[in-house]
Amino acid sequence: MLDVTRKPDQPASSAAVKEIRNFIAGEYVGSASGHFFDKRSPVNGALIAKVSEAGEAEVDAAVKAARAALDGPWGRIPPGERGDLLYALANEINKNFNRFLEAEVADTGKPMSLARHIDIPRGAANFKVFADTVKNVSTEFFEMATPDGAGAINYAVRRPVGVVGVICPWNLPLLLMTWKVAPAMACGNTVVVKPSEETPQTATLLGEVMNAVGIPKGVYNVVHGFGPGSAGEFLTRHPGVNAITFTGETRTGAAIMKAAADGARPVSLEMGGKNPAIVFADCDFEAAIEGTMRSCFANCGQVCLGTERVYVERPLFEKFVAALKARTEKMKIGVPEDSATGMGPLISQEHREKVLSYYRKAVEEGATVVTGGGVPKMPDDLAQGAWVEPTIWTGLPDTAATVTEEIFGPCTHIAPFDSEDEVIARANALEYGLAASVWTTNLARAHRVSARIEAGIVWVNSWFLRDLRTPFGGMKQSGIGREGGVHSLEFYTELKNVCIKL
Ligand code: NAD
Ligand code: 6OD
């Protein structure tokens, strides 16, 4: 039985019901329809917020505010000053660290320790990294000959792409939203953000921070709502949006791409994954177990880069499965405030139903359930939370739905392999290509295998080690485009050549 006990002095996450509004042209505004949707705590199902759903009118107002800021004050700020403002934003997020932390944890139910070390610091760091990137980047220059002998010079200049629509998921809300908003703003664009309906709070709070540091009104706007027939669709279809950057499921990305085709607008899509970990018998065993534990169960398995397929070289297979099972069964499932909590709930009851349907499907497909596979017994006051057990399966063929489809929960399938060629073919067999990890102490093998894996990022002897200057994105159906460091400039700017005849 998993340890789900809570000390009596540790309260279940609960908060007074908040009213969350859209943020348009520097003001918090409700929607003309007066329509609100409910945001419930993943921890105990309590209503924590009523969120004002933006209609077409609010989305239109947000896009127009973004356009006005672009044509007005923001468009006139020199790049250096923009960079200073982005640094000020990062510092202001850090000043309000606990407010962001509490908001993120309330929306997601994730362990406070995780949000304290990853989500909020990264939310701030994104602004500094992209301010530095833009400050330090140069463009090309060419001299050329002309028939009259006087010559000509060519130089390239980067200009903002315009109003950028930013559509975000719920798993790392502030981190992934600022991962797009920071480069967009650093490059001189203005943004309209549509946070996930599951995580409205930190994007909204960021509006306050924008005002506090003096970002001109309209540069950063937030509209709340859902996808089809709601703010997400209204935003992606709005002709005033010049480019759309999206993080979320592959199916949603495809729908957004269709919407962007009207007006031939560019998209940057970071989408789903079904990421393999490959564990060779020569690995550092402890490191491989620790890294695989994190990659399977961090954030309750709700990380796009997480591992849902583990391939272990046959001589190590039994030992690896036993060790991962033992470690998993020791992990504490609990409330965010408890520092011993290793795993919180899923984001919502709806997502829990999806994950549990895969738990049932795995058994129907003939899996051996090594551990988990169900719902943990929680105290009565947490009974309405979206809890599931961390789960490990073995024994499935590579063609099973459990092994081929993204589940986005705390679960993984472990299979043995016999040769390098075989495991590479199995790792590459899916239409996803987001991330992979390889565990080996053989340097030549590390190079060989990582070169052949079809994934946007391959970690060797690590997982989720991120240098924000590096290209990030997915191959195949996991993404279109690369963001990160100077690579973000490809999407967030238009490159123009100026040719001057001398
Ligand atoms: P989702 O695709 O359901 O929703 C993402 C966002 O899109 C939400 O804000 C949603 O309201 C909006 N949306 C939905 N339909 C839309 C439409 N037709 N038009 C416009 N907007 C629409 O994804 P999710 O459930 O929030 O997040 C989980 C998924 O995100 C997983 O598949 C995960 O792998 C993926 N993800 C990928 C990355 C990456 O970097 N590749 C990062 C995080 C999450
Ligand atoms: O670290 C990042 O920048 C990033 N985009 C992480 C994505 C995590 C997916 O859940």
Side-chain angles (χ1 to χ4, degrees), residues 167-170 194 197 232 247-249 252 270-272 304 406:
I167 310 273
C168 307
W170 44 257
K194 210 295 281 174
E197 52 275 29
T247 309
E249 279 188 34
T252 313
E270 291 177 4
M271 304 189 283
C304 62
E406 183 186 52

Side-chain angles (χ1 to χ4, degrees), residues 36 41 124 126 151 153 257 316 354 360 372 387 423:
F36 288 86
S41 162
N126 284 334
I153 57 171
M257 213 172 163
L316 198 63
K354 175 185 163 186
R360 291 189 292 273
W387 308 96
V423 77

Side-chain angles (χ1 to χ4, degrees), residues 51 70 133 137 241 443 457:
V51 187
L70 192 69
T133 302
V137 84
V241 171
L443 187 59
I457 184 163

Side-chain angles (χ1 to χ4, degrees), residues 7-305:
K7 294 190 195 120
D9 60 339
Q10 290 167 326
S13 296
S14 66
V17 177
K18 292 183 176 166
E19 185 181 315
I20 310 258
R21 296 177 172 214
N22 305 293
F23 183 75
I24 301 173
E27 309 284 341
Y28 286 103
V29 293
S31 64
S33 71
H35 187 255
F36 288 86
F37 61 91
D38 291 349
K39 166 62 197 167
R40 292 189 173 274
S41 162
V43 171
N44 57 18
L47 182 66
I48 56 173
K50 303 287 274 179
V51 187
S52 177
E53 183 176 359
E56 287 195 89
E58 289 73 37
V59 172
D60 185 54
V63 174
K64 286 186 171 139
R67 170 56 56 187
L70 192 69
D71 294 341
W74 189 242
R76 289 194 288 269
I77 293 183
E81 265 176 54
R82 264 198 332 251
D84 293 345
L85 282 168
L86 263 61
Y87 258 76
L89 274 175
N91 294 336
E92 192 68 18
I93 291 175
N94 285 330
K95 259 198 237 161
N96 287 277
F97 194 95
N98 285 337
R99 294 177 71 202
F100 278 99
L101 181 65
E102 275 159 28
E104 202 74 311
V105 166
D107 275 357
T108 59
K110 66 177 71 190
M112 277 216 157
S113 54
L114 183 69
R116 184 177 286 119
H117 289 110
I118 305 263
D119 297 69
I120 313 305
R122 256 299 297 282
N126 284 334
F127 284 103
K128 291 191 178 174
V129 165
F130 287 106
D132 288 343
T133 302
V134 168
K135 196 155 121 193
N136 292 318
V137 84
S138 62
T139 54
E140 64 196 32
F141 172 87
F142 288 106
E143 286 180 289
M144 67 184 285
T146 54
D148 65 3
I153 57 171
N154 293 272
Y155 59 88
V157 284
R158 289 194 180 273
R159 289 290 173 258
V161 73
V163 175
V164 179
V166 183
I167 310 273
C168 307
W170 44 257
N171 60 326
L172 302 165
L174 182 72
L175 185 161
L176 289 175
M177 185 260 293
T178 53
W179 169 245
K180 308 290 196 167
V181 166
M185 287 176 60
C187 291
N189 302 283
T190 56
V191 298
V192 180
V193 175
K194 210 295 281 174
S196 168
E197 52 275 29
E198 294 293 349
T199 50
Q201 296 202 52
T202 46
T204 310
L205 184 52
L206 190 62
E208 208 181 301
V209 165
M210 295 275 169
N211 283 349
V213 306
I215 300 291
K217 295 186 185 318
V219 172
Y220 173 83
N221 305 275
V222 180
V223 290
H224 291 294
F226 302 82
S230 183
E233 182 183 333
F234 303 148
L235 181 60
T236 51
R237 291 209 172 280
H238 198 294
V241 171
N242 303 107
I244 301 165
T245 181
F246 164 79
T247 309
E249 279 188 34
T250 297
R251 239 181 335 190
T252 313
I256 286 175
M257 213 172 163
K258 282 189 189 137
D262 260 343
R265 291 163 305 155
V267 289
S268 171
L269 306 177
E270 291 177 4
M271 304 189 283
K274 184 77 178 176
N275 310 304
I278 301 177
V279 183
F280 287 95
D282 64 11
C283 71
D284 171 338
F285 186 75
E286 253 317 296
I289 290 289
E290 191 277 329
T292 308
M293 270 300 287
R294 280 194 302 121
S295 73
C296 293
F297 303 126
N299 210 34
C300 200
Q302 303 164 120
V303 181
C304 62
L305 307 160

Side-chain angles (χ1 to χ4, degrees), residues 196-472:
S196 168
E197 52 275 29
E198 294 293 349
T199 50
Q201 296 202 52
T202 46
T204 310
L205 184 52
L206 190 62
E208 208 181 301
V209 165
M210 295 275 169
N211 283 349
V213 306
I215 300 291
K217 295 186 185 318
V219 172
Y220 173 83
N221 305 275
V222 180
V223 290
H224 291 294
F226 302 82
S230 183
E233 182 183 333
F234 303 148
L235 181 60
T236 51
R237 291 209 172 280
H238 198 294
V241 171
N242 303 107
I244 301 165
T245 181
F246 164 79
T247 309
E249 279 188 34
T250 297
R251 239 181 335 190
T252 313
I256 286 175
M257 213 172 163
K258 282 189 189 137
D262 260 343
R265 291 163 305 155
V267 289
S268 171
L269 306 177
E270 291 177 4
M271 304 189 283
K274 184 77 178 176
N275 310 304
I278 301 177
V279 183
F280 287 95
D282 64 11
C283 71
D284 171 338
F285 186 75
E286 253 317 296
I289 290 289
E290 191 277 329
T292 308
M293 270 300 287
R294 280 194 302 121
S295 73
C296 293
F297 303 126
N299 210 34
C300 200
Q302 303 164 120
V303 181
C304 62
L305 307 160
T307 300
E308 290 192 0
R309 301 183 281 154
V310 185
Y311 299 97
V312 183
E313 204 169 0
R314 199 173 295 275
L316 198 63
F317 180 73
E318 299 296 338
K319 182 178 168 193
F320 187 93
V321 172
L324 202 70
K325 168 180 157 67
R327 203 68 74 86
T328 304
E329 289 175 353
K330 278 204 198 110
M331 182 168 62
K332 181 166 185 177
I333 302 178
V335 293
E337 300 80 4
D338 185 346
S339 59
T341 292
M343 198 180 97
L346 291 167
I347 188 71
S348 64
Q349 288 297 342
E350 193 190 348
H351 189 51
R352 181 182 187 241
E353 273 319 302
K354 175 185 163 186
V355 172
L356 289 175
S357 76
Y358 277 98
Y359 283 17
R360 291 189 292 273
K361 184 173 283 195
V363 173
E364 287 158 22
E365 290 183 310
T368 299
V369 181
V370 174
T371 189
V375 173
K377 174 137 184 51
M378 303 303 286
D380 286 351
D381 59 337
L382 303 180
Q384 300 307 311
W387 308 96
V388 292
E389 286 178 332
T391 295
I392 300 172
W393 303 286
T394 55
L396 287 173
D398 285 1
T399 50
T402 310
V403 184
T404 56
E405 295 172 13
E406 183 186 52
I407 301 172
F408 219 54
C411 51
T412 203
H413 179 259
I414 315 182
F417 72 89
D418 295 299
S419 79
E420 213 173 281
D421 282 348
E422 172 214 331
V423 77
I424 290 169
R426 292 169 74 184
N428 287 343
L430 304 189
E431 281 312 312
Y432 288 118
L434 189 57
S437 9
V438 178
W439 299 89
T440 178
T441 51
N442 178 330
L443 187 59
R445 170 181 277 154
H447 278 296
R448 241 183 357 252
V449 174
S450 50
R452 291 176 62 196
I453 298 277
E454 293 166 359
I457 184 163
V458 179
W459 279 290
V460 177
N461 299 329
S462 67
W463 180 75
F464 212 151
L465 192 56
R466 293 275 294 116
D467 183 324
L468 306 183
R469 296 166 298 182
T470 60
F472 182 90

